[in-house]
Amino acid sequence: MRIAVFGADGYLGFPLSLCLLGRGHEVIAVDNGVTARRAACTGAPSVPADPGPLEQRLGGTGATVVEADVRDQERVRQLLQDVDVVVHLAQQRSAPYSMLSPEHALETVSDNLDSTMAVLFACRETGTRLVKLGSMGEYGTPSVPIPEGEWTLELGGRTARLWFPRSPGSFYHASKVCDSVYLRFACQCYGLTCIDVQQGPVVGVNTAELRERNACTRVYYDDVWGTVVHRFCAQASAGHPLTVYGRGGQTRGFLSLADSTWATATACEQIMDLPAGAYMEINQIAWTRSVRQLAEEVAALARERGCPAALSHVPNPREGCELEEHFYEVEAAVLRNWGLVAEEPQQVLGETLDYMLAHSRELRASVLAPRHTFRDGGDTCRDGHG
Ligand code: USQ
């Protein structure tokens, strides 16, 4: 198949492109480099600091690399001519970034909406099918199990198949809710075919294809772009206490980078079997952990490697926007039915820790502690957002 990956230079996009190529697909890798620019703006280095130009990193694979802004409707229409499936990852993907200032909130919701609308209308015209990366954070943390797709409500002696209620915890997560609303409507109204992937935080630095090419993806560890496990591993490697926000009972569904690329590539293939007009939601997670448990596991692995890692319960910068203790259960049957054999959490945590230890000299100490709160934001990059 011909598959376009929008956001191909990102943490997920690059390994996904390699995975799709490995499965024999033709890949059009599209990016405009905005994530690296945004991260530089908040003082956030990735590891490695500069993985090199995408064209070079995909050299010799046969992928077509295109620099383009996917908010540009006309450009997206051109790019999707004769493309079977597009994977849309090209969005502002940091919850903390979206809470830094009114400008960052607006940039997040408008950029994410613009790109989704451009992709949606291009798909309507070209018949391209869409795999869209959403977020498990659309649902928040309700005190009941989160179903996969629609659920049945009984009220007043009647039943209805409905969408599960959304409860986002940041403007970033709210932008993903809007994406889902527009895409579901477009499937119903225009006959678009879409898999909306509600994904939990992705963990890890490696996939089979990255190992094979001895290549790296962009991994962040700072308080704006770094996700929790990457931060804990970097902190342990740098001799910094592991910053558990508040009580640390915040529980999420995680999956490894390799599992995420496998699942998203599988979604690209599975979507061809869906009837036109189908809107399918899947919950892309493999295992659940509280952040306290994760910190304890990373600290234990660090101690095994001779690093004296300690936990520090710091005031939660997301106070008021997330619960610190809650029930969390997620239905994730689709991935199991597709045959996902998830990587063991211990293996993924250990590999991520080893990666950070190998790069410990590059780690910037000033971005390890939280610098911003969701309520008050911060001054970072106020003038140069985006
Ligand atoms: N946390 C800590 N200590 C830290 C950093 C984070 O305890 O040093 C806690 C946060 O309070 C939060 C949890 O870890 O409760 C997860 O935070 P995160 O920064 O790892 O992930 P999040 O902001 O939720 O966003 C990430 C990705 C986003 C994706 C989302 C899936 O950046 O693109 O959509 O995970 S989900 O978490 O299910 O919404």
Side-chain angles (χ1 to χ4, degrees):
M1 291 193 296
R2 262 168 76 77
I3 302 178
V5 178
F6 284 4
D9 196 19
Y11 168 64
L12 297 176
F14 177 57
L16 173 65
S17 301
L18 291 178
C19 178
L20 290 166
L21 289 158
R23 290 185 181 209
H25 300 296
E26 202 180 321
V27 169
I28 299 130
V30 180
D31 209 296
N32 68 349
V34 69
T35 296
R37 284 196 296 280
R38 278 181 177 139
C41 193
T42 52
S46 67
V47 180
D50 181 12
L54 185 61
E55 198 147 23
Q56 194 179 313
R57 292 152 78 214
L58 285 173
T61 61
T64 305
V65 177
V66 180
E67 189 180 334
D69 185 333
V70 303
R71 295 170 303 177
D72 180 339
Q73 297 218 4
E74 182 50 39
R75 190 82 172 99
V76 174
R77 238 195 317 269
Q78 289 163 3
L79 285 168
L80 294 190
Q81 298 298 326
D82 302 319
V83 165
D84 298 298
V85 179
V86 55
V87 188
H88 180 25
L89 303 162
Q91 294 197 307
Q92 195 299 91
R93 56 102 181 133
S94 159
Y97 184 89
S98 76
M99 304 299 288
L100 285 175
S101 73
E103 293 83 1
H104 290 83
L106 184 60
E107 179 192 341
T108 302
V109 297
S110 63
D111 280 12
N112 288 0
L113 174 63
D114 286 353
S115 66
T116 295
M117 294 302 265
V119 171
L120 181 163
F121 284 108
C123 286
R124 178 177 78 153
E125 194 178 302
T126 58
T128 305
R129 294 184 169 214
L130 170 61
V131 173
K132 165 74 179 41
L133 254 285
S135 172
M136 277 307 298
E138 287 189 24
Y139 298 111
T141 52
S143 52
V144 293
I146 297 170
E148 196 165 33
E150 291 185 336
W151 63 299
T152 305
L153 175 69
E154 289 180 23
L155 203 61
R158 299 178 61 84
T159 61
R161 292 288 291 164
L162 292 178
W163 232 16
F164 194 74
R166 264 51 178 176
S167 186
S170 70
F171 283 111
Y172 154 75
H173 288 106
S175 78
K176 294 289 188 177
V177 174
C178 293
D179 286 344
S180 296
V181 171
Y182 299 136
L183 291 172
R184 187 175 191 246
F185 171 70
C187 291
Q188 181 195 326
C189 181
Y190 299 140
L192 216 78
T193 310
C194 174
I195 297 183
D196 202 350
V197 176
Q198 312 302 14
Q199 182 166 256
V202 179
V203 180
V205 293
N206 249 322
T207 65
E209 296 80 17
L210 285 172
R211 275 189 209 99
E212 213 171 281
R213 285 179 72 82
N214 201 17
C216 295
T217 188
R218 292 176 193 278
V219 184
Y220 291 93
Y221 60 91
D222 64 288
D223 58 328
V224 176
W225 297 96
T227 47
V228 63
V229 170
H230 299 165
R231 283 179 52 68
F232 287 165
C233 291
Q235 289 166 339
S237 304
H240 189 284
L242 278 56
T243 54
V244 177
Y245 291 171
R247 280 178 288 164
Q250 302 93 316
T251 304
R252 302 286 182 269
F254 296 84
L255 80 168
S256 76
L257 180 61
D259 292 344
S260 168
T261 56
W262 180 93
T264 311
T266 305
C268 291
E269 291 158 359
Q270 293 286 334
I271 199 171
M272 299 313 286
D273 294 336
L274 295 182
Y279 171 80
M280 180 187 193
E281 270 187 299
I282 66 171
N283 293 342
Q284 193 148 292
I285 67 153
W287 35 276
T288 55
R289 289 284 191 285
S290 72
V291 297
R292 192 171 52 229
Q293 284 173 320
L294 282 172
E296 282 162 0
E297 287 175 53
V298 171
L301 289 165
R303 280 186 221 108
E304 279 173 21
R305 289 157 171 81
C307 304
L311 270 57
S312 167
H313 285 265
V314 300
N316 189 353
R318 304 181 187 194
E319 192 192 352
C321 301
E322 68 176 14
L323 296 177
E324 290 178 10
E325 299 286 352
H326 57 88
F327 174 85
Y328 198 67
E329 197 177 297
V330 176
E331 185 187 344
V334 173
L335 288 195
R336 264 200 316 278
N337 292 341
W338 285 352
L340 174 71
V341 181
E343 288 189 320
E344 285 299 320
Q346 285 291 305
Q347 183 201 323
V348 182
L349 297 182
E351 200 177 17
T352 309
L353 182 58
D354 289 334
Y355 182 83
M356 291 298 182
L357 281 167
H359 290 87
S360 58
R361 282 164 180 237
E362 292 168 43
L363 300 175
R364 195 174 292 171
S366 59
V367 300
L368 292 173
R371 298 172 291 170
H372 313 279
T373 66
F374 273 25
R375 282 218 169 124
D376 299 330
D379 291 332
T380 302
C381 210
R382 200 172 256 279
D383 300 325
H385 67 281

